[in-house]
């Protein structure tokens, strides 16, 4: 984790929020490359959850919702974690994640674990509250959404009618969620502000269990398609005492993070709990009329709920390579590189003139201009070529294109270096786009 965190900081991928003020716990900023990585994760999700299907439509709902949404959904009552406080130093922890005196489960601020004495846990609500309007009186409270899902239930009838989808169908949303986590930790794994990619798939009651299985497999395939190794993934069913108040059955897709196997995504059978609760609280009819079966019912819901930040972290960790470069390829030098799936790599091609020599620059710029409309590229002419390769390796750029003196004086060709094999090939500039098109796997 330390190596990943340092790499992210060094290359401006992810760093502390408000760093010049000492940072804010549980808040991180995604720099230029991190923002591109996140965009790519979201695009990959939308591609397989929406674009390649005909039965899932997108929603982009407001973060602030009517306060009664959270009453109906049960969040005001149930969205809690057990909080325990150490009687001797007053530090607070999530009671279900720590074992008193066990240094591997928490950080004692005084580092003297023998003195810790955890008090009785009490339930702590994770909702962030704020107020709408110019006064802070009661009645003006609203909550920052802790999940994107509720908008899909509240807007269900409207979206179904206007999109003319028939059950089974889904509504998908990618957006920010907020949770006042007791102990944010493990870099971007547990933060207080994060992005979710959630899809509510509405099905006829009785078909829910089969659809649940379908989505578990679909989501597993998505993670492996974009490069996570199967041996680092597992499916873990929730025990009955772990199930959320709305769920009939939930499984987590877990990733072998360096700190422990931990949740990447939850896939829940939410039954008709949410539609039922909103129908009752709002007094609106949220049933669905199934014309083919001449039946009216409240659909059941299967929900694959993933986190953008956690997925990005898992992709980074899984792609991380720290190796000795093979002797034949330039000696015994250490090479740190990210073997990111091409579709996720923030930069697809780097254009590198061998030096800043004035003979090389115009051609190098011409090559950059040729590629820029096709792929996210980076043009870099600073420092030695070895250093620039190292930088591109560390940010996972699949191909580096080098413009040298032969290019301008002789063959109008460039050297293309493959990140994974480190092999180099000479390619004519007028063949370069086709060459890269054939090798870049951007739409798996
Ligand atoms: P955990 O048990 O780790 O607190 P959860 O079961 O509460 O997670 P869900 O409510 O199922 O999480 O949320 C769906 C997904 O949203 C999670 O699988 C995770 O990827 C992401 N997520 C939830 N909470 C956080 C957080 N605090 N920081 C980053 N991502 C989060």
């Amino acid at each position: 984790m330390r190596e990943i965190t340092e790499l992210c900081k060094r290359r401006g991928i992810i760093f502390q929020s408000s760093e010049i003020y000492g940072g804010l716990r549980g808040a991180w900023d995604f720099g230029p490359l991190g923002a591109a990585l996140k965009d790519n994760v979201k695009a990959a999700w939308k591609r397989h959850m929406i674009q390649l299907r005909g039965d899932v439509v997108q929603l982009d709902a407001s973060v602030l919702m009517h306060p009664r949404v959270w009453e109906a959904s049960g969040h005001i009552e149930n969205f809690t974690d057990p909080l325990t406080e150490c009687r001797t130093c007053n530090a607070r922890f999530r009671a279900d994640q720590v074992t008193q005196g066990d240094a591997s489960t928490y950080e004692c601020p005084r580092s003297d674990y023998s003195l810790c004495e955890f008090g009785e846990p009490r339930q702590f609500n994770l909702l962030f509250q704020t107020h709408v309007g110019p006064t802070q009186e009661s009645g003006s409270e609203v909550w920052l959404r802790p999940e994107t899902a509720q908008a899909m239930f509240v807007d269900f009838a409207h979206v179904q009618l206007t999109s003319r989808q028939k059950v089974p169908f889904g509504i998908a949303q990618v957006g920010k969620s907020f949770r006042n986590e007791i102990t944010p930790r493990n870099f971007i794994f547990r933060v207080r502000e994060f992005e979710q990619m959630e899809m509510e798939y509405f099905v006829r009651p009785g078909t829910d269990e089969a659809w649940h299985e379908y989505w578990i497999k679909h989501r597993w395939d998505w993670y492996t398609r974009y490069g996570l190794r199967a041996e680092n993934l597992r499916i873990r069913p929730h025990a009955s005492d772990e199930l959320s108040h709305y769920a009939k059955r939930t499984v987590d897709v877990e990733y072998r993070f360096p700190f422990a196997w931990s949740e990447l995504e939850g896939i829940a059978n939410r039954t008709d709990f949410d539609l039922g609760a909103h129908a009752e609280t709002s007094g609106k009819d949220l049933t669905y009329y199934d014309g083919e079966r001449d039946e009216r019912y409240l659909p059941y819901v299967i929900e694959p709920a993933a986190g953008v930040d956690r997925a990005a972290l898992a992709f980074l960790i899984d792609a991380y390579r720290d190796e000795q470069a093979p002797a034949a390829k330039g000696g015994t030098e250490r090479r740190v590189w990210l073997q990111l799936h091409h579709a996720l790599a923030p930069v697809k091609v780097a254009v590198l003139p061998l030096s800043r020599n004035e003979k090389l620059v115009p051609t190098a710029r011409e090559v950059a201009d040729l590629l820029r409309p096709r792929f996210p590229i980076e043009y870099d002419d600073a420092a030695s070529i070895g250093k620039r390769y190292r930088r591109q390796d560390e940010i996972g750029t699949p191909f580096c294109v080098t413009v040298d003196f032969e290019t301008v004086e002789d063959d109008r060709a460039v050297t293309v270096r493959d990140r994974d094999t480190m092999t180099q090939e000479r390619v004519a500039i007028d063949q370069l786009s086709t060459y890269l098109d054939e090798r870049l796997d951007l739409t798996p």
Side-chain angles (χ1 to χ4, degrees):
M1 277 305 281
R2 190 170 41 77
E3 283 166 21
I4 292 284
T5 316
E6 280 171 8
L7 170 67
C8 285
K9 185 168 179 187
R10 183 163 74 242
R11 296 301 181 192
I13 303 172
I14 305 161
F15 39 87
Q16 261 197 322
S17 156
S18 329
E19 204 172 21
I20 62 167
Y21 290 101
L24 177 69
R25 203 151 172 243
W28 296 86
D29 291 348
F30 286 73
L33 300 168
L37 170 66
K38 254 185 22 163
D39 276 352
N40 294 342
V41 169
K42 291 184 273 186
W45 188 86
K46 287 183 190 173
R47 175 172 167 78
H48 287 272
M49 299 299 280
I50 304 172
Q51 187 192 335
L52 295 179
R53 311 179 59 89
D55 60 348
V56 178
V57 292
Q58 194 177 350
L59 181 68
D60 183 0
S62 173
V63 168
L64 299 177
M65 299 179 77
H66 194 287
R68 295 200 71 196
V69 168
W70 307 109
E71 271 171 50
S73 67
H75 281 81
I76 290 176
E77 198 181 332
N78 296 314
F79 198 61
T80 55
D81 275 338
L83 175 134
T84 181
E85 195 166 329
C86 178
R87 291 204 177 95
T88 55
C89 66
N90 301 327
R92 290 172 178 172
F93 304 101
R94 214 174 113 173
D96 58 335
Q97 292 182 341
V98 294
T99 309
Q100 186 169 309
D102 180 349
S104 67
T105 62
Y106 67 100
E107 270 174 48
C108 169
R110 287 162 317 177
S111 304
D112 188 348
Y113 291 83
S114 64
L115 294 177
C116 296
E117 203 187 315
F118 288 169
E120 252 329 279
R122 65 184 168 85
Q123 291 305 318
F124 172 76
N125 195 297
L126 303 186
L127 291 175
F128 272 110
Q129 195 185 62
T130 185
H131 292 83
V132 285
T135 53
Q136 298 221 337
E137 65 212 14
S138 77
S140 71
E141 300 98 350
V142 289
W143 285 270
L144 301 186
R145 68 181 177 198
E147 60 175 31
T148 63
Q150 291 307 318
M152 276 83 98
F153 303 125
V154 172
D155 294 347
F156 163 73
H158 200 121
V159 174
Q160 187 272 319
L161 207 66
T162 50
S163 66
R164 293 172 297 134
Q165 289 284 342
K166 293 196 173 88
V167 167
F169 80 100
I171 309 179
Q173 176 164 216
V174 175
K176 286 264 170 139
S177 292
F178 303 82
R179 296 182 187 180
N180 197 2
E181 297 280 356
I182 297 167
T183 41
R185 60 180 178 170
N186 291 325
F187 193 29
I188 56 168
F189 177 82
R190 184 174 303 287
V191 288
R192 294 197 169 114
E193 173 183 343
F194 52 97
E195 271 187 286
Q196 289 186 307
M197 310 180 280
E198 296 194 299
M199 198 272 289
E200 311 305 317
Y201 198 73
F202 299 92
V203 304
R204 188 165 61 82
T207 64
D208 50 309
E209 291 179 10
W211 278 113
H212 198 193
E213 290 306 322
Y214 168 89
W215 282 108
I216 294 168
K217 176 166 186 326
H218 187 283
R219 295 302 303 145
W220 174 281
D221 290 345
W222 184 83
Y223 285 108
T224 54
R225 183 187 297 277
Y226 283 93
L228 291 193
R229 283 165 287 186
E231 68 261 31
N232 292 334
L233 279 176
R234 71 178 187 193
I235 299 288
R236 188 184 66 81
H238 279 205
S240 54
D241 60 353
E242 196 190 347
L243 281 176
S244 302
H245 59 280
Y246 50 73
K248 169 173 163 188
R249 178 178 170 239
T250 298
V251 305
D252 285 348
V253 181
E254 291 191 336
Y255 179 73
R256 195 206 305 256
F257 285 96
F259 43 89
W261 282 98
S262 305
E263 175 179 337
L264 262 187
E265 162 159 0
I267 306 171
N269 181 344
R270 291 181 81 129
T271 70
D272 58 2
F273 175 87
D274 302 271
L275 287 180
H278 288 303
E280 194 182 320
T281 309
S282 68
K284 297 284 186 301
D285 181 8
L286 297 179
T287 55
Y288 169 79
Y289 176 68
D290 185 333
E292 270 162 42
R293 305 177 69 90
D294 191 23
E295 266 175 28
R296 185 169 276 286
Y297 53 79
L298 264 187
Y300 267 40
V301 173
I302 306 302
E303 174 196 70
V308 181
D309 312 70
R310 273 189 204 177
L313 181 59
F315 285 123
L316 281 171
I317 292 169
D318 222 75
Y320 187 82
R321 305 278 179 277
D322 183 348
E323 295 167 351
Q324 296 300 114
K329 301 258 176 337
T332 52
E333 214 176 272
R334 179 175 167 214
R335 179 162 97 112
V336 172
W337 57 298
L338 292 181
Q339 194 176 20
L340 282 172
H341 192 288
H342 293 176
L344 302 181
V347 177
K348 311 301 180 198
V349 184
V351 178
L352 315 172
L354 197 59
S355 72
R356 277 189 182 151
N357 185 293
E358 57 186 24
K359 279 195 187 155
L360 300 180
V361 170
T363 311
R365 293 226 175 261
E366 179 197 325
V367 172
D369 290 343
L370 173 80
L371 300 180
R372 208 186 297 279
R374 307 176 73 94
F375 320 106
I377 68 150
E378 204 169 86
Y379 179 89
D380 185 6
D381 62 7
S384 74
I385 190 75
K387 272 202 184 138
R388 282 180 279 156
Y389 279 152
R390 231 168 294 151
R391 172 184 155 79
Q392 297 304 330
D393 278 346
E394 282 198 359
I395 65 174
T397 305
F399 293 102
C400 289
V401 170
T402 312
V403 174
D404 55 27
F405 289 99
E406 265 177 69
T407 313
V408 290
E409 287 164 4
D410 185 16
D411 61 359
R412 291 280 300 166
V414 289
T415 301
V416 182
R417 174 183 179 270
D418 181 313
R419 173 196 73 191
D420 299 351
T421 59
M422 288 170 75
T423 51
Q424 306 200 354
E425 257 190 275
R426 203 74 190 158
V427 180
I429 292 178
D430 59 9
Q431 296 295 313
L432 186 59
S433 294
T434 317
Y435 177 93
L436 292 168
D437 270 338
E438 282 168 1
R439 283 160 183 80
L440 276 169
D441 179 13
L442 300 182
T443 49

